[in-house]
Amino acid sequence: MNLAKTFSKGIINENPLFRLMLGMCPALAITTSVENGIGMGMAFTAVLLASNVVVSLLRRIIPESIRIPCFIVVIASFVTITEMVMHAYAPALFESLGIFIPLIVVNCIILGRAEAFASKNGLVPSVMDALGMGLGYTLALVTVSAVREVLGAGTFLGIPIIGLIDNPALVMILPPGGFIALGCILALLNKMQQKKAQSN
Amino acid sequence: MNNQGNLLTVTPSPHLHSSNSIPAAMRDVIIALIPAFIASVYFFRISAVLVVVTCIVTAVVCEMAAQKLMKREVTVNDYSAVITGLLLALTLPATVPLWVAAIGAAVAIIIGKQLFGGLGNNIFNPALIGRAFLLASWPVATTGWVTPIDGVSTATPLGIIKESLGSELPNLTDMFIGNIAGCLGETSALALLLGALYLIYKKHIDWRIPTGYLATVFAITAVVGMTKGQGLSYPVFHLFAGGLMLGAFFMATDWVTTPVTKKGRVVFGIGCGLITVLIRLKGGYPEGVCYSILLMNTLAPLIDRYTKDRVFGGGKSHA
Amino acid sequence: MRDVLKLGAFLLIVAGIAGLGLGYVNSLTAPVILAQEEENKISGFQEVYSQAEEIKDESAKYLPDGADGIVREVNVAYQKGTPAGVIYMVEPKGYGGEIQMLVAFDIATKEITAIKVLSNKETPGLGAKCGEEFFSERFQNKSAEGVLELVKQEPVGDNQVMAITAATITSKAVVEGVNTAREHFVSNFL
């Protein structure tokens, strides 16, 4: 598999959220505004990139039998670092993402990529994999949060969309709205893929 | 060998014939809701008519459009969309903006019903999905209660109790007839009971669900009323207040979203009653009928599973 | 047995390196975080009570039982060495959790100078509006001497505050927070 493919597979064909159905919990919880979606996506990408790099570099010296605890220590450390840096330099974002930053530790995509990809591949492919997966997840979060913010708050990135939506449907930025938005987006994507498969 | 359509279909006996069909049953439900509709028009005048018409028209149009888009058979002639629209309208206040009512009807039909597979496949009562969506989305627009006839802004009886803001509670006779603030179709217990009796007489709804529901609410509030020293008027107040009558007879009895076993229906009614009282007395909202029925809808398949009669001679492992 | 020791040692080293790294990052970010929190607090104080020359946290003196009840902090604002105002931090319980807010009183005028909601977990679009200016303005210049009362229509009495539409529980909580601070203020500073 060439590098370009390693990078691009995370965006569409193996999109962590829309195709692999991983990392659903933050995707439902923090997607109340596009700003949150971007922030979470970036924090996630940073952790994934760092953990993929370290795991890939150490893949030959980590003993097979204790690889999972080693991965977890690496991931947890990077998550904590991300959390501290965000707290210090982006306090507003830190407040609104709340518990979901520390919970990146248990985001199955990161451990999944460490186990399934970085521990078996060299440094460069692992970096491409992390960037692709990170971008794919960020795009997915932004898509869900754009739908929710526009319909539920009548704004996009905090800027009011005047005239279009004066009385937004609050439910869309409440928890049920997360399920409704994610479900509808998934249904649409599946429909589009079916069409593509039929025409091929 | 393309003679599939010419074959005579033979099924094993017994061959029971029922003159019931979906449209006929649905028509009876509409007839049963007419007294409540008339009461709402009497109490809330032209705005009631507008809300009802908006909801029904939107529901029917959405049903047609969704079925066309999903390439399903268009079944608006079975009246089920009309009922969903009508029931939704009856759960809204007279002051609701018409575009809000229309969105509610669209959500009820598209998300509550067609996305789950259409009539017979929906997990939740579509009208209540529509109402829950509206209540969460436009809490101010959907709770603009007004007094009947003169339309002065006020609180519902349950709202008065919950927020204890010093207004006086209406007397029980007014509550029974419907001369109180509230949703279009929930104020008049009398009109709802008339319709319910017709449905029970026609055997369209099972008396077990409403009885279990109302008895549970009555029993718990009677105990609470005694500890408060208010005697019997307290449980009677809770029976006539809010959407309990409408919910118990017309929504908790929906054929699709409730258990099919007799025992299961009793359990379903009791569960609805428990959750309703819990929300009314302890929750954040003044009224809990809508959420109680939706929550019990999710449990309906489970209730069916545990209350199914064992097949005779089937053995324990098949039970 | 030797295998276990070897694996254990390896894990120990990995965890040790991770710990060192975390400690280093923490030493870089901790002072920034602390300075920021301090700054937020002071700018919050200034928003509710602007004429102070010096503000001292005197919770230890005025809350002898520790942070009992919903009053968390008592900050006294000094002017020329004498107390001029008091800024309370209270945390009444709202619909979704605690509402952290500041309530400031002026000793000379016996009035509420301002209130400010610092953080809340109320429903977006409903109770969360308690943090907006239109609501906190309703408390400005209310007398500290009478109990505040929540009403649903336009207030008629001086001690009445109008609730946020469709968010009575949140409004009640904020009023309760103000009233609790008010009681403490009246019995300790007037």
Side-chain angles (χ1 to χ4, degrees):
Chain A
M1 204 191 294
N2 62 37
L3 282 181
K5 243 184 175 167
T6 308
F7 174 73
S8 66
K9 73 176 189 310
I11 298 171
I12 298 168
N13 287 342
E14 289 180 32
N15 187 300
L17 184 60
F18 291 151
R19 283 278 168 269
L20 307 182
M21 297 289 179
L22 295 175
M24 303 283 279
C25 178
L28 291 167
I30 56 93
T31 51
T32 51
S33 72
V34 177
E35 200 186 330
N36 277 0
I38 296 173
M40 183 69 193
M42 274 162 48
F44 169 86
T45 310
V47 173
L48 180 59
L49 183 61
S51 91
N52 257 15
V53 166
V54 172
V55 169
S56 163
L57 287 175
L58 297 181
R59 70 186 188 278
R60 285 187 217 288
I61 57 168
I62 293 177
E64 176 78 13
S65 56
I66 54 163
R67 64 184 194 288
I68 300 290
C70 288
F71 295 164
I72 290 291
V73 170
V74 170
I75 296 168
S77 306
F78 283 120
V79 168
T80 313
I81 289 172
T82 313
E83 189 190 357
M84 291 191 291
V85 171
M86 273 179 109
H87 195 170
Y89 300 105
L93 193 62
F94 176 81
E95 282 285 318
S96 64
L97 293 181
I99 183 71
F100 291 95
I101 307 175
L103 281 181
I104 297 176
V105 177
V106 287
N107 191 317
C108 16
I109 309 166
I110 298 188
L111 184 63
R113 293 332 285 174
E115 165 76 6
F117 197 92
S119 65
K120 298 187 180 84
N121 288 285
L123 179 62
V124 180
S126 295
V127 169
M128 295 314 271
D129 178 70
L131 288 176
M133 285 287 165
L135 188 64
Y137 192 61
T138 309
L139 283 177
L141 288 184
V142 170
T143 313
V144 179
S145 53
V147 172
R148 291 181 67 187
E149 192 186 333
V150 170
L151 294 181
T155 60
F156 184 80
L157 271 170
I159 306 156
I161 304 171
I162 300 162
L164 188 64
I165 297 161
D166 290 335
N167 262 313
L170 271 185
V171 73
M172 293 309 288
I173 53 169
L174 299 177
F179 288 95
I180 296 176
L182 189 58
C184 290
I185 293 171
L186 286 174
L188 259 174
L189 287 176
N190 282 346
K191 181 91 193 161
M192 273 156 61
Q193 211 194 17
Q194 262 177 20
K195 266 212 177 123
K196 220 164 118 191
Q198 274 168 7
S199 63
N200 277 352
Chain B
M1 289 296 282
N2 196 9
N3 55 0
Q4 208 79 25
N6 304 329
L7 289 178
L8 184 66
T9 312
V10 180
T11 57
S13 63
H15 304 278
L16 291 176
H17 175 73
S18 163
S19 55
N20 268 342
S21 64
I22 294 176
M26 295 283 178
R27 214 175 303 140
D28 278 340
V29 177
I30 295 178
I31 293 172
L33 281 169
I34 284 177
F37 172 65
I38 292 175
S40 75
V41 175
Y42 173 74
F43 287 123
F44 300 107
R45 304 293 146 106
I46 185 76
S47 46
V49 180
L50 288 177
V51 173
V52 169
V53 170
T54 310
C55 284
I56 293 179
V57 170
T58 318
V60 171
V61 169
C62 285
E63 172 119 322
M64 225 146 59
Q67 286 178 330
K68 277 246 165 71
L69 264 173
M70 294 178 183
K71 303 198 175 68
R72 290 198 186 120
E73 192 192 344
V74 175
T75 57
V76 280
N77 291 331
D78 68 8
Y79 294 107
S80 68
V82 176
I83 292 182
T84 301
L86 181 56
L87 279 177
L88 173 70
L90 294 181
T91 66
L92 297 173
T95 55
V96 72
L98 294 182
W99 62 270
V100 168
I103 292 181
V107 167
I109 292 294
I110 296 171
I111 295 184
K113 188 172 164 196
Q114 291 300 338
L115 283 186
F116 283 101
L119 184 67
N121 294 314
N122 47 310
I123 306 172
F124 301 104
N125 187 317
L128 288 178
I129 289 277
R131 175 182 150 83
F133 188 92
L134 293 185
L135 198 63
S137 292
W138 296 281
V140 181
T142 47
T143 50
W145 314 114
V146 290
T147 54
I149 302 173
D150 43 5
V152 178
S153 143
T154 180
T156 62
L158 283 171
I160 295 173
I161 282 204
K162 180 117 246 167
E163 292 169 352
S164 52
L165 284 176
S167 315
E168 210 169 299
L169 282 176
N171 67 46
L172 292 176
T173 321
D174 272 347
M175 290 182 64
F176 182 68
I177 295 169
N179 193 18
I180 47 168
C183 301
L184 291 184
E186 71 176 21
T187 60
S188 176
L190 177 66
L192 290 166
L193 281 173
L194 277 179
L197 283 179
Y198 176 73
L199 282 187
I200 293 176
Y201 165 73
K202 284 272 199 169
K203 294 201 174 67
H204 287 312
I205 62 174
D206 191 337
W207 56 271
R208 287 177 185 84
I209 294 177
T211 310
Y213 198 161
L214 298 177
T216 308
V217 171
F218 187 85
I220 303 177
T221 51
V223 174
V224 176
M226 262 191 290
T227 60
K228 285 186 166 185
Q230 292 183 347
L232 267 185
S233 69
Y234 190 72
V236 174
F237 167 84
H238 270 281
L239 277 192
F240 294 148
L244 185 58
M245 288 288 168
L246 182 65
F249 287 109
F250 291 95
M251 292 173 170
T253 52
D254 178 30
W255 305 300
V256 179
T257 57
T258 51
V260 291
T261 63
K262 291 189 175 102
K263 258 186 283 174
R265 289 179 171 173
V266 177
V267 174
F268 185 88
I270 293 173
C272 287
L274 276 176
I275 300 174
T276 301
V277 177
L278 205 63
I279 296 179
R280 278 188 183 179
L281 299 184
K282 294 283 168 206
Y285 285 104
E287 173 61 308
V289 168
C290 170
Y291 295 113
S292 75
I293 298 174
L294 285 174
L295 283 170
M296 289 309 288
N297 282 164
T298 61
L299 291 182
L302 202 68
I303 295 174
D304 265 340
R305 197 166 147 186
Y306 285 104
T307 53
K308 214 181 330 186
D309 289 326
R310 295 218 168 115
V311 178
F312 188 67
K316 262 193 175 165
S317 58
H318 300 286
Chain C
M1 190 60 204
R2 287 195 57 180
D3 218 32
V4 172
L5 283 179
K6 224 172 87 185
L7 292 177
F10 186 86
L11 257 183
L12 185 70
I13 294 167
V14 171
I17 296 172
L20 281 177
L22 286 180
Y24 177 66
V25 177
N26 188 39
S27 71
L28 291 182
T29 53
V32 183
I33 295 171
L34 217 69
Q36 204 173 63
E37 277 171 357
E38 196 59 29
E39 201 177 301
N40 277 346
K41 213 168 152 182
I42 289 170
S43 72
F45 284 168
Q46 261 159 1
E47 247 176 83
V48 290
Y49 195 85
S50 51
Q51 315 103 309
E53 284 164 358
E54 195 193 2
I55 295 171
K56 280 191 204 153
D57 186 348
E58 297 188 359
S59 309
K61 185 174 156 198
Y62 290 107
L63 296 172
D65 315 325
D68 192 24
I70 61 171
V71 181
R72 292 281 176 276
E73 276 178 28
V74 182
N75 299 284
V76 181
Y78 285 92
Q79 241 168 353
K80 298 190 185 104
T82 51
V86 191
I87 303 164
Y88 286 91
M89 172 133 82
V90 287
E91 285 182 2
K93 218 174 151 313
Y95 183 69
E98 267 138 22
I99 302 170
Q100 200 185 48
M101 51 186 267
L102 296 176
V103 189
F105 298 92
D106 190 76
I107 294 177
T109 60
K110 299 173 188 170
E111 275 179 359
I112 298 171
T113 55
I115 73 160
K116 181 180 167 62
V117 174
L118 298 175
S119 71
N120 70 79
K121 300 186 190 78
E122 307 298 287
T123 318
L126 282 179
K129 282 190 193 157
C130 69
E132 290 175 22
E133 222 167 285
F134 83 91
F135 185 60
S136 49
E137 269 174 3
R138 292 179 187 168
F139 291 87
Q140 235 156 21
N141 300 334
K142 293 277 178 201
S143 166
E145 284 175 293
V147 177
L148 288 186
E149 190 195 341
L150 192 72
V151 290
K152 281 214 148 176
Q153 275 87 34
E154 282 294 327
V156 279
D158 273 344
N159 64 332
Q160 290 185 328
V161 175
M162 197 169 105
I164 304 170
T165 320
T168 319
I169 295 177
T170 308
S171 311
K172 257 188 193 169
V174 174
V175 170
E176 189 207 333
V178 174
N179 274 329
T180 314
R182 194 198 57 82
E183 246 165 66
H184 188 276
F185 174 70
V186 170
S187 55
N188 284 284
F189 292 94
L190 291 185

